[in-house]
Coordinates of all heavy atoms in Angstrom, one line a residue:
M213 N 19.1 -8.5 16.1 CA 19.8 -8.4 15.0 C 19.8 -6.9 14.5 O 20.9 -6.4 14.0 CB 19.1 -9.2 13.9 CG 19.9 -9.1 12.5 SD 21.5 -9.7 12.3 CE 21.2 -11.3 11.8
N214 N 18.7 -6.2 14.6 CA 18.6 -4.8 14.2 C 19.7 -4.0 15.0 O 20.3 -3.0 14.4 CB 17.2 -4.2 14.3 CG 16.3 -4.5 13.0 OD1 16.9 -4.6 12.1 ND2 15.2 -4.3 13.3
D215 N 19.8 -4.2 16.2 CA 20.7 -3.4 17.0 C 22.2 -3.6 16.5 O 23.0 -2.7 16.5 CB 20.5 -3.8 18.6 CG 19.4 -3.3 19.1 OD1 18.8 -2.3 18.6 OD2 19.0 -3.8 20.3
R216 N 22.4 -4.8 16.3 CA 23.8 -5.2 15.7 C 24.1 -4.4 14.4 O 25.0 -3.9 14.0 CB 24.0 -6.6 15.6 CG 25.4 -7.1 15.2 CD 25.6 -8.5 15.4 NE 25.5 -8.8 16.8 CZ 25.5 -10.1 17.4 NH1 25.4 -11.1 16.5 NH2 25.4 -10.3 18.6
L217 N 23.1 -4.5 13.5 CA 23.3 -3.8 12.2 C 23.4 -2.4 12.3 O 24.2 -1.8 11.7 CB 22.0 -4.1 11.3 CG 22.0 -5.4 10.7 CD1 20.8 -5.7 9.7 CD2 23.3 -5.8 9.8
F218 N 22.6 -1.7 13.3 CA 22.7 -0.3 13.3 C 24.1 0.0 14.0 O 24.7 1.1 13.5 CB 21.6 0.2 14.2 CG 20.4 0.4 13.5 CD1 19.3 -0.5 13.8 CD2 20.2 1.4 12.6 CE1 18.1 -0.4 13.1 CE2 19.0 1.5 11.9 CZ 17.8 0.6 12.1
S219 N 24.6 -0.7 14.8 CA 25.9 -0.6 15.5 C 27.0 -0.8 14.3 O 27.9 0.3 14.3 CB 26.2 -1.5 16.5 OG 27.5 -1.4 17.0
V220 N 27.0 -1.6 13.5 CA 27.9 -1.8 12.4 C 27.8 -0.7 11.4 O 28.8 -0.1 11.0 CB 27.8 -3.2 11.8 CG1 28.5 -3.3 10.4 CG2 28.1 -4.4 12.6
H221 N 26.5 -0.3 11.1 CA 26.4 0.8 10.1 C 27.0 2.1 10.8 O 27.5 3.0 10.1 CB 24.9 1.1 9.9 CG 24.5 2.0 9.0 ND1 24.3 3.4 9.5 CD2 24.5 2.2 7.7 CE1 24.2 4.2 8.4 NE2 24.3 3.6 7.3
S222 N 26.7 2.4 12.0 CA 27.2 3.6 12.6 C 28.7 3.6 12.7 O 29.3 4.6 12.2 CB 26.8 3.7 14.1 OG 27.3 4.8 14.8
R223 N 29.5 2.5 13.0 CA 30.9 2.4 13.0 C 31.4 2.6 11.5 O 32.4 3.2 11.2 CB 31.3 1.2 13.5 CG 31.2 1.2 15.0 CD 31.9 0.0 15.8 NE 31.8 -1.2 15.1 CZ 31.1 -2.2 15.3 NH1 30.2 -2.2 16.3 NH2 31.1 -3.4 14.7
A224 N 30.8 1.9 10.5 CA 31.2 1.9 9.1 C 31.0 3.3 8.6 O 31.8 3.8 7.8 CB 30.5 0.9 8.3
S225 N 29.9 4.0 8.9 CA 29.7 5.3 8.4 C 30.7 6.3 8.8 O 31.2 7.2 8.1 CB 28.4 5.9 8.9 OG 27.3 5.1 8.3
A226 N 31.2 6.2 10.0 CA 32.2 7.1 10.6 C 33.6 6.8 9.6 O 34.3 7.8 9.4 CB 32.6 6.9 11.9
R227 N 33.8 5.7 9.3 CA 35.0 5.4 8.5 C 34.9 5.6 7.0 O 35.8 6.1 6.4 CB 35.3 3.9 8.7 CG 35.9 3.6 10.1 CD 36.5 2.2 10.2 NE 37.5 2.2 9.3 CZ 38.7 1.7 9.7 NH1 39.0 1.4 10.9 NH2 39.8 1.6 8.7
A228 N 33.7 5.6 6.5 CA 33.4 5.9 5.0 C 33.8 7.1 4.6 O 34.1 7.3 3.5 CB 32.0 5.3 4.8
S229 N 33.6 8.1 5.6 CA 33.7 9.5 5.1 C 35.3 9.8 5.0 O 35.5 10.8 4.4 CB 33.1 10.5 6.3 OG 33.9 10.2 7.5
S230 N 36.2 8.8 5.4 CA 37.6 9.1 5.0 C 38.1 8.7 3.8 O 39.2 8.9 3.4 CB 38.3 8.4 6.1 OG 38.3 7.0 6.1
G231 N 37.2 8.0 3.0 CA 37.6 7.6 1.6 C 37.1 8.6 0.5 O 36.6 9.6 0.8
R232 N 37.3 8.1 -0.7 CA 36.9 8.9 -1.8 C 36.2 8.0 -2.7 O 36.4 6.9 -2.9 CB 38.2 9.4 -2.6 CG 38.9 10.5 -2.0 CD 40.1 11.1 -2.8 NE 40.7 10.1 -3.6 CZ 41.0 10.2 -5.0 NH1 40.8 11.3 -5.5 NH2 41.5 9.2 -5.5
V233 N 35.2 8.5 -3.6 CA 34.6 7.9 -4.6 C 35.5 7.7 -5.8 O 36.3 8.6 -6.1 CB 33.3 8.7 -5.0 CG1 32.8 8.1 -6.3 CG2 32.3 8.9 -4.0
A234 N 35.6 6.5 -6.3 CA 36.5 6.2 -7.3 C 36.0 6.7 -8.7 O 35.2 6.0 -9.5 CB 36.6 4.5 -7.5
D235 N 36.1 8.1 -9.0 CA 35.4 8.8 -10.0 C 36.1 8.4 -11.3 O 35.5 8.8 -12.4 CB 35.4 10.3 -9.8 CG 36.8 10.8 -9.5 OD1 37.9 10.0 -9.7 OD2 36.9 12.1 -9.2
Y236 N 37.2 7.6 -11.4 CA 37.7 7.1 -12.7 C 36.9 5.9 -13.2 O 37.0 5.6 -14.3 CB 39.1 6.8 -12.5 CG 39.4 5.7 -11.4 CD1 39.4 4.3 -11.8 CD2 39.6 6.1 -10.1 CE1 39.5 3.4 -10.8 CE2 39.8 5.1 -9.1 CZ 39.9 3.7 -9.4 OH 40.0 2.9 -8.5
I237 N 35.9 5.4 -12.3 CA 35.0 4.4 -12.9 C 33.7 5.0 -13.1 O 33.0 5.5 -12.2 CB 34.9 3.3 -11.8 CG1 36.2 2.7 -11.4 CG2 33.9 2.2 -12.1 CD1 36.3 1.6 -10.3
P238 N 33.3 5.0 -14.3 CA 32.1 5.7 -14.7 C 30.8 5.4 -13.8 O 30.1 6.3 -13.5 CB 31.8 5.3 -16.2 CG 33.1 5.2 -16.7 CD 33.9 4.4 -15.6
A239 N 30.6 4.1 -13.5 CA 29.5 3.8 -12.8 C 29.6 4.2 -11.4 O 28.5 4.4 -10.7 CB 29.3 2.2 -12.8
L240 N 30.6 4.5 -10.8 CA 31.0 5.1 -9.5 C 30.9 6.7 -9.4 O 30.8 7.2 -8.5 CB 32.0 4.6 -8.8 CG 32.0 3.0 -8.6 CD1 33.3 2.5 -8.0 CD2 30.8 2.6 -7.8
S241 N 31.2 7.3 -10.7 CA 31.6 8.7 -10.5 C 30.4 9.6 -10.0 O 30.7 10.6 -9.4 CB 31.9 9.1 -12.0 OG 30.7 9.0 -12.9
G242 N 29.1 9.1 -10.0 CA 28.2 9.9 -9.6 C 27.6 9.4 -8.2 O 26.6 9.8 -7.7
A243 N 28.3 8.5 -7.6 CA 27.8 7.8 -6.3 C 27.8 8.8 -5.1 O 28.7 9.6 -5.1 CB 28.7 6.6 -6.0
D244 N 26.9 8.7 -4.4 CA 26.8 9.4 -3.1 C 27.6 8.7 -2.1 O 27.3 7.5 -1.6 CB 25.4 9.4 -2.6 CG 25.2 10.2 -1.3 OD1 26.3 10.7 -0.7 OD2 24.0 10.3 -0.8
P245 N 28.9 9.3 -1.6 CA 29.7 8.6 -0.7 C 29.0 8.3 0.7 O 29.6 7.6 1.5 CB 30.8 9.5 -0.6 CG 30.4 10.9 -1.0 CD 29.3 10.7 -2.0
S246 N 28.0 9.1 1.0 CA 27.3 8.9 2.3 C 26.2 7.8 2.3 O 25.7 7.5 3.3 CB 26.7 10.2 2.9 OG 25.7 10.7 2.0
A247 N 26.0 7.3 1.0 CA 24.9 6.4 1.0 C 25.5 4.9 1.3 O 26.0 4.2 0.5 CB 24.4 6.4 -0.5
L248 N 25.3 4.6 2.6 CA 25.9 3.3 3.1 C 24.7 2.7 3.7 O 23.9 3.1 4.6 CB 26.9 3.5 4.2 CG 27.5 2.3 4.9 CD1 28.3 1.3 3.9 CD2 28.3 2.7 5.9
G249 N 24.5 1.4 3.3 CA 23.3 0.6 3.8 C 23.8 -0.9 4.0 O 24.8 -1.3 3.4
I250 N 23.2 -1.6 4.8 CA 23.3 -3.0 5.2 C 22.1 -3.6 5.3 O 21.0 -3.1 5.9 CB 24.1 -3.1 6.6 CG1 25.5 -2.3 6.6 CG2 24.3 -4.5 7.0 CD1 26.0 -2.3 7.9
A251 N 22.0 -4.7 4.7 CA 20.7 -5.6 4.8 C 21.2 -7.0 5.0 O 22.2 -7.5 4.4 CB 19.9 -5.4 3.6
A252 N 20.5 -7.7 6.0 CA 20.8 -9.3 6.2 C 19.5 -10.0 6.3 O 18.6 -9.5 6.8 CB 21.7 -9.4 7.3
T253 N 19.6 -11.1 5.7 CA 18.3 -12.0 5.8 C 18.9 -13.3 6.5 O 19.7 -13.9 6.2 CB 17.7 -12.4 4.4 OG1 17.4 -11.2 3.7 CG2 16.6 -13.3 4.6
D254 N 17.9 -13.7 7.6 CA 18.4 -14.8 8.4 C 17.8 -16.1 7.7 O 17.0 -16.0 6.6 CB 17.9 -14.7 9.8 CG 16.4 -14.6 10.0 OD1 15.6 -15.0 9.0 OD2 15.9 -14.3 11.1
A255 N 18.0 -17.3 8.3 CA 17.6 -18.5 7.7 C 16.1 -18.7 7.6 O 15.5 -19.4 6.8 CB 18.2 -19.7 8.5
E256 N 15.3 -18.0 8.4 CA 13.9 -18.0 8.4 C 13.4 -17.0 7.4 O 12.1 -17.0 7.3 CB 13.3 -17.8 10.0 CG 13.6 -18.9 10.9 CD 14.9 -18.9 11.3 OE1 15.5 -17.8 11.6 OE2 15.4 -19.9 11.5
G257 N 14.2 -16.2 6.8 CA 13.5 -15.4 5.7 C 13.3 -14.0 6.3 O 13.0 -13.0 5.5
A258 N 13.6 -13.6 7.5 CA 13.4 -12.3 8.0 C 14.6 -11.3 7.6 O 15.7 -11.9 7.7 CB 13.3 -12.2 9.6
T259 N 14.2 -10.2 7.1 CA 15.2 -9.3 6.6 C 15.4 -8.1 7.5 O 14.4 -7.6 8.0 CB 14.9 -8.7 5.1 OG1 14.8 -9.9 4.3 CG2 16.0 -7.8 4.7
F260 N 16.6 -7.7 7.9 CA 17.0 -6.7 8.7 C 17.8 -5.7 8.0 O 18.6 -6.0 7.2 CB 17.7 -7.1 9.9 CG 16.9 -8.3 10.7 CD1 17.3 -9.6 10.3 CD2 16.1 -8.0 11.7 CE1 16.6 -10.7 10.9 CE2 15.5 -9.0 12.3 CZ 15.7 -10.4 12.0
R261 N 17.5 -4.3 8.3 CA 18.1 -3.3 7.5 C 18.6 -2.2 8.3 O 18.1 -1.9 9.5 CB 17.3 -2.8 6.5 CG 16.7 -3.6 5.4 CD 15.6 -3.0 4.5 NE 15.3 -3.8 3.4 CZ 14.3 -4.8 3.4 NH1 13.6 -5.0 4.4 NH2 14.1 -5.4 2.4
A262 N 19.7 -1.5 7.9 CA 20.1 -0.3 8.6 C 20.6 0.7 7.4 O 21.3 0.2 6.4 CB 21.2 -0.6 9.5
G263 N 20.5 2.0 7.7 CA 21.0 2.9 6.7 C 20.3 2.9 5.3 O 19.0 2.6 5.3
A264 N 20.9 3.3 4.3 CA 20.4 3.3 2.9 C 20.3 2.0 2.3 O 20.8 1.8 1.1 CB 21.2 4.4 2.1
S265 N 19.8 1.1 2.9 CA 19.7 -0.2 2.4 C 18.9 -0.4 1.1 O 18.9 -1.4 0.3 CB 19.3 -1.3 3.4 OG 18.0 -1.0 3.8
D266 N 18.0 0.6 0.8 CA 17.1 0.5 -0.3 C 17.8 1.2 -1.5 O 17.2 1.2 -2.5 CB 15.8 1.1 -0.1 CG 15.0 0.2 0.8 OD1 15.1 -0.9 0.9 OD2 14.1 0.9 1.6
A267 N 19.0 1.8 -1.4 CA 19.6 2.4 -2.4 C 20.1 1.5 -3.3 O 20.7 0.4 -3.0 CB 20.8 3.4 -1.9
R268 N 20.1 1.9 -4.7 CA 20.6 1.0 -5.7 C 22.1 1.3 -5.7 O 22.5 2.5 -5.6 CB 19.9 1.3 -7.1 CG 18.6 0.9 -7.1 CD 17.8 1.2 -8.4 NE 18.5 0.5 -9.5 CZ 18.0 -0.7 -10.0 NH1 16.8 -1.2 -9.6 NH2 18.7 -1.3 -10.9
F269 N 22.9 0.3 -6.1 CA 24.4 0.5 -6.1 C 24.9 -0.5 -7.3 O 24.3 -1.3 -7.5 CB 25.0 0.3 -4.9 CG 24.9 -1.1 -4.3 CD1 25.9 -2.1 -4.5 CD2 23.8 -1.5 -3.6 CE1 25.7 -3.4 -4.0 CE2 23.7 -2.8 -3.1 CZ 24.6 -3.7 -3.4
T270 N 26.0 -0.1 -7.7 CA 26.8 -1.0 -8.6 C 27.8 -2.0 -7.8 O 28.4 -1.5 -6.6 CB 27.7 -0.2 -9.5 OG1 28.4 -1.0 -10.3 CG2 28.7 0.7 -8.9
M271 N 27.8 -3.2 -8.0 CA 28.6 -4.2 -7.4 C 30.1 -4.1 -7.6 O 30.8 -4.5 -6.7 CB 28.0 -5.6 -7.7 CG 26.6 -5.8 -7.0 SD 26.1 -7.5 -7.4 CE 27.2 -8.6 -6.6
Q272 N 30.5 -3.9 -8.7 CA 31.9 -3.8 -9.0 C 32.6 -5.0 -8.7 O 32.2 -6.1 -8.9 CB 32.5 -2.6 -8.4 CG 32.0 -1.3 -9.0 CD 32.2 -1.1 -10.5 OE1 33.4 -1.3 -10.9 NE2 31.1 -0.6 -11.2
S273 N 33.7 -4.9 -7.9 CA 34.6 -6.1 -7.6 C 34.0 -7.2 -6.5 O 34.3 -8.3 -6.6 CB 35.9 -5.6 -7.0 OG 36.6 -5.0 -8.1
I274 N 33.0 -6.7 -5.9 CA 32.5 -7.7 -4.9 C 31.7 -8.8 -5.6 O 31.5 -10.0 -5.1 CB 31.4 -7.1 -3.9 CG1 31.1 -7.9 -2.8 CG2 30.3 -6.6 -4.6 CD1 32.2 -8.3 -1.8
S275 N 31.3 -8.6 -6.9 CA 30.6 -9.5 -7.7 C 31.7 -10.9 -7.9 O 31.2 -12.0 -8.2 CB 30.3 -9.1 -9.0 OG 31.4 -8.6 -9.9
K276 N 32.8 -10.6 -7.8 CA 33.8 -11.8 -8.0 C 33.8 -12.6 -6.8 O 34.0 -13.9 -7.1 CB 35.3 -11.2 -7.9 CG 35.6 -10.4 -9.2 CD 36.9 -9.6 -9.1 CE 37.0 -8.6 -10.2 NZ 38.2 -7.6 -10.0
V277 N 33.5 -12.2 -5.7 CA 33.3 -13.2 -4.6 C 32.0 -14.1 -4.8 O 32.1 -15.2 -4.5 CB 33.1 -12.4 -3.2 CG1 32.7 -13.2 -2.0 CG2 34.4 -11.5 -3.0
F278 N 30.9 -13.5 -5.3 CA 29.7 -14.3 -5.6 C 30.0 -15.3 -6.6 O 29.5 -16.5 -6.6 CB 28.5 -13.3 -5.9 CG 28.1 -12.5 -4.8 CD1 28.4 -11.1 -4.8 CD2 27.6 -13.0 -3.6 CE1 27.9 -10.3 -3.8 CE2 27.1 -12.2 -2.6 CZ 27.4 -10.9 -2.5
A279 N 30.6 -14.9 -7.7 CA 31.0 -15.7 -8.7 C 31.9 -17.0 -8.4 O 31.6 -18.1 -8.6 CB 31.8 -15.0 -9.9
L280 N 32.9 -16.6 -7.4 CA 33.8 -17.7 -6.9 C 33.1 -18.7 -6.1 O 33.1 -19.9 -6.2 CB 34.8 -17.0 -6.0 CG 35.7 -18.1 -5.3 CD1 36.5 -18.9 -6.3 CD2 36.7 -17.3 -4.3
A281 N 32.0 -18.1 -5.2 CA 31.2 -18.9 -4.4 C 30.2 -19.9 -5.2 O 30.2 -21.2 -5.0 CB 30.3 -18.1 -3.4
Y282 N 29.8 -19.3 -6.3 CA 29.0 -20.2 -7.2 C 29.7 -21.2 -7.9 O 29.3 -22.4 -7.9 CB 28.3 -19.3 -8.2 CG 27.5 -20.0 -9.3 CD1 26.3 -20.6 -9.1 CD2 28.1 -20.1 -10.5 CE1 25.6 -21.3 -10.0 CE2 27.5 -20.9 -11.5 CZ 26.2 -21.5 -11.3 OH 25.5 -22.2 -12.2
V283 N 30.8 -20.9 -8.5 CA 31.7 -21.9 -9.2 C 32.2 -23.0 -8.1 O 32.2 -24.1 -8.5 CB 32.8 -21.3 -9.9 CG1 33.7 -22.3 -10.5 CG2 32.3 -20.4 -10.9
M284 N 32.6 -22.6 -7.1 CA 33.0 -23.6 -6.0 C 31.9 -24.5 -5.7 O 32.1 -25.7 -5.5 CB 33.6 -23.0 -4.8 CG 34.9 -22.3 -5.0 SD 35.7 -21.6 -3.6 CE 35.8 -22.8 -2.4
A285 N 30.7 -24.0 -5.5 CA 29.6 -24.9 -5.1 C 29.2 -25.8 -6.4 O 28.7 -27.0 -6.2 CB 28.2 -24.1 -4.9
E286 N 29.4 -25.3 -7.6 CA 29.1 -26.1 -8.7 C 30.2 -27.1 -9.0 O 29.9 -28.4 -9.4 CB 28.9 -25.3 -9.9 CG 27.6 -24.5 -9.9 CD 26.4 -25.4 -10.1 OE1 26.3 -26.2 -10.9 OE2 25.5 -25.2 -9.1
R287 N 31.5 -26.7 -8.9 CA 32.6 -27.6 -9.4 C 33.4 -28.0 -8.2 O 34.3 -29.0 -8.5 CB 33.5 -26.8 -10.2 CG 32.7 -26.3 -11.6 CD 32.4 -27.4 -12.5 NE 31.8 -26.9 -13.6 CZ 31.5 -27.5 -14.7 NH1 32.2 -28.7 -14.8 NH2 30.9 -27.0 -15.8
G288 N 33.4 -27.6 -7.1 CA 34.2 -27.9 -5.9 C 35.5 -27.1 -5.9 O 36.1 -26.6 -6.9
E289 N 36.0 -27.1 -4.7 CA 37.2 -26.3 -4.4 C 38.4 -26.8 -5.2 O 39.2 -26.0 -5.6 CB 37.5 -26.3 -2.9 CG 38.6 -25.5 -2.3 CD 38.8 -25.4 -0.8 OE1 37.9 -25.7 -0.1 OE2 39.9 -25.0 -0.5
E290 N 38.6 -28.0 -5.2 CA 39.8 -28.6 -5.8 C 39.8 -28.2 -7.4 O 40.8 -27.8 -7.8 CB 39.8 -30.1 -5.6 CG 41.0 -30.7 -6.2 CD 41.2 -32.2 -5.9 OE1 40.6 -32.6 -4.9 OE2 41.8 -32.9 -6.8
A291 N 38.7 -28.4 -7.9 CA 38.6 -28.1 -9.4 C 38.9 -26.6 -9.7 O 39.6 -26.1 -10.6 CB 37.3 -28.6 -10.0
V292 N 38.3 -25.8 -8.9 CA 38.5 -24.2 -8.9 C 39.9 -23.8 -8.9 O 40.5 -23.2 -9.7 CB 37.5 -23.4 -8.1 CG1 37.9 -22.0 -8.1 CG2 36.1 -23.7 -8.5
F293 N 40.5 -24.3 -7.6 CA 41.8 -23.8 -7.4 C 43.0 -24.5 -8.1 O 44.1 -24.2 -8.1 CB 42.0 -23.8 -5.8 CG 41.3 -22.7 -5.2 CD1 40.2 -23.0 -4.4 CD2 41.5 -21.3 -5.5 CE1 39.4 -22.0 -3.7 CE2 40.9 -20.3 -4.9 CZ 39.7 -20.7 -4.1
S294 N 42.6 -25.7 -8.8 CA 43.6 -26.2 -9.7 C 43.8 -25.4 -10.9 O 44.8 -25.6 -11.7 CB 43.2 -27.6 -10.2 OG 42.1 -27.6 -11.1
R295 N 42.9 -24.4 -11.2 CA 43.0 -23.6 -12.4 C 43.3 -22.2 -12.0 O 43.6 -21.3 -12.9 CB 41.9 -23.6 -13.3 CG 41.4 -25.0 -13.5 CD 40.3 -25.2 -14.5 NE 41.0 -25.5 -15.7 CZ 40.7 -25.4 -16.9 NH1 39.6 -24.7 -17.2 NH2 41.4 -25.7 -17.9
V296 N 43.2 -21.8 -10.7 CA 43.5 -20.3 -10.4 C 44.8 -20.3 -9.8 O 45.4 -20.9 -9.0 CB 42.4 -20.0 -9.4 CG1 42.6 -18.6 -8.9 CG2 41.0 -20.1 -10.0

C-alpha cells in the first residue's frame, strides 16, 4: 500500500505545480501549493501516508461529497435524489 501511495503522490505532485492557489478564497490564500499529502486507512485500521499528510488543510468543496454520502446513508438514494 505504501508503494502505491508514494507512486500516486509523486504523479500528483508533478501535476499540482501547474495549478494556482485560489487566493480569492480567504482560507486558501495562504496555502502552500506544494503541500500535498495522501493518507488511507484500511479495513483493519492500518494507516498509510505519503507526502505532507500531517499538514492541516481546509476541506472546501470536498466536504459536499462527505455530506452527500452521509445523507444517502441516512435517507437513501431515492429520497436524496428526489429533491436534488
